[in-house]
């Protein structure tokens, strides 16, 4: 049976790349899954993804670790929300995030602060569908054996 290791990151540039690299090396996975669409990996259209996902993908490539993407490209914005609205919400989140490390956000009380800001932007039904899509993508990629590192 495959061993699954999940690493939760923060998508606002606050994930320390050296720490992430050390975790990857410690886990020593046979397969890494990153929150980037596999299609976008195949066509090398990854520049719009969070920097820690791009870092993890590139690190895997440089270290001969098989790496696949599991993201869903489903648009989760509420009706009428624009890219400008999204950028404003991200700035508000960054104000909260800047006072903490990326590891701190695995604690529910801090996640609630971010979620309260994000809920103004994100359609909860679309988010649930995106999460189901990603779960399905992950399930399809998990081998029968080995260590799988899932970075989200």
């Amino acid at each position: 049976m495959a061993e699954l290791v999940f690493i939760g990151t923060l998508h606002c540039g606050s994930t320390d790349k050296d720490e992430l690299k050390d975790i990857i090396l410690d886990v020593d996975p046979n397969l890494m899954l990153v929150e980037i669409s596999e299609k976008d990996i195949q066509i090398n259209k990854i520049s719009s993804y969070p920097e820690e996902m791009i870092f993890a993908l590139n690190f895997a490539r440089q270290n001969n670790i098989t790496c696949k993407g599991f993201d869903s490209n489903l648009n989760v914005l509420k009706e009428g929300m624009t890219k400008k609205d999204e950028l404003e919400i991200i700035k508000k989140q960054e104000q909260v995030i800047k006072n903490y490390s990326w590891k701190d956000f695995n604690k529910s009380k801090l996640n609630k602060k971010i979620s309260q800001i994000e809920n103004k932007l994100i359609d909860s039904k679309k988010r649930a569908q995106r999460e189901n899509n990603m779960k399905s993508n992950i399930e399809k990629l998990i081998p029968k054996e080995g260590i799988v590192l899932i970075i989200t």
Side-chain angles (χ1 to χ4, degrees):
M1 179 190 315
E3 176 184 344
L4 305 180
V5 179
F6 288 83
I7 301 298
T9 66
L10 209 49
H11 297 335
C12 293
S14 63
T15 301
D16 184 282
K17 290 179 191 65
D18 287 330
E19 289 179 0
L20 185 56
K21 177 185 79 166
D22 289 344
I23 291 169
I24 295 167
L25 290 170
D26 286 345
V27 172
D28 191 23
N30 304 95
L31 173 65
M32 258 175 43
L33 303 179
V34 293
E35 196 173 335
I36 298 176
S37 155
E38 180 61 22
K39 177 183 173 188
D40 289 344
I41 289 174
Q42 296 301 320
I43 61 173
N44 202 32
K45 184 183 170 193
I46 61 172
S47 63
S48 65
Y49 285 92
E51 61 185 65
E52 74 277 3
M53 293 301 147
I54 296 169
F55 171 82
L57 174 63
N58 289 333
F59 183 83
R61 287 174 171 166
Q62 293 163 2
N63 290 276
N64 297 316
I65 302 169
T66 302
C67 190
K68 301 283 182 182
F70 66 87
D71 199 10
S72 166
N73 288 332
L74 183 67
N75 180 349
V76 296
L77 297 181
K78 288 182 177 177
E79 192 73 33
M81 288 298 206
T82 65
K83 192 69 174 167
K84 181 182 176 191
D85 296 322
E86 183 178 14
L87 293 174
E88 287 175 13
I89 294 292
I90 289 170
K91 284 182 183 180
K92 288 179 183 177
Q93 288 177 323
E94 287 173 343
Q95 292 301 310
V96 173
I97 291 168
K98 72 180 181 180
N99 299 314
Y100 301 96
S101 82
W102 65 285
K103 293 177 184 177
D104 290 327
F105 281 87
N106 286 309
K107 300 172 185 163
S108 62
K109 69 179 181 177
L110 293 176
N111 269 332
K112 285 180 185 175
K113 285 184 180 182
I114 294 296
S115 293
Q116 288 171 344
I117 297 168
E118 191 176 76
N119 287 339
K120 298 172 185 166
L121 180 72
I122 303 297
D123 181 303
S124 60
K125 289 181 183 176
K126 290 179 182 179
R127 180 195 336 232
Q129 180 60 52
R130 178 175 178 262
E131 289 171 357
N132 283 333
N133 291 352
M134 290 191 298
K135 178 179 176 256
S136 176
N137 292 343
I138 290 169
E139 289 171 343
K140 291 174 191 172
L141 293 167
I142 294 174
K144 292 188 188 316
E145 295 189 7
I147 301 170
V148 181
L149 178 58
I150 302 167
I151 302 176
T152 184

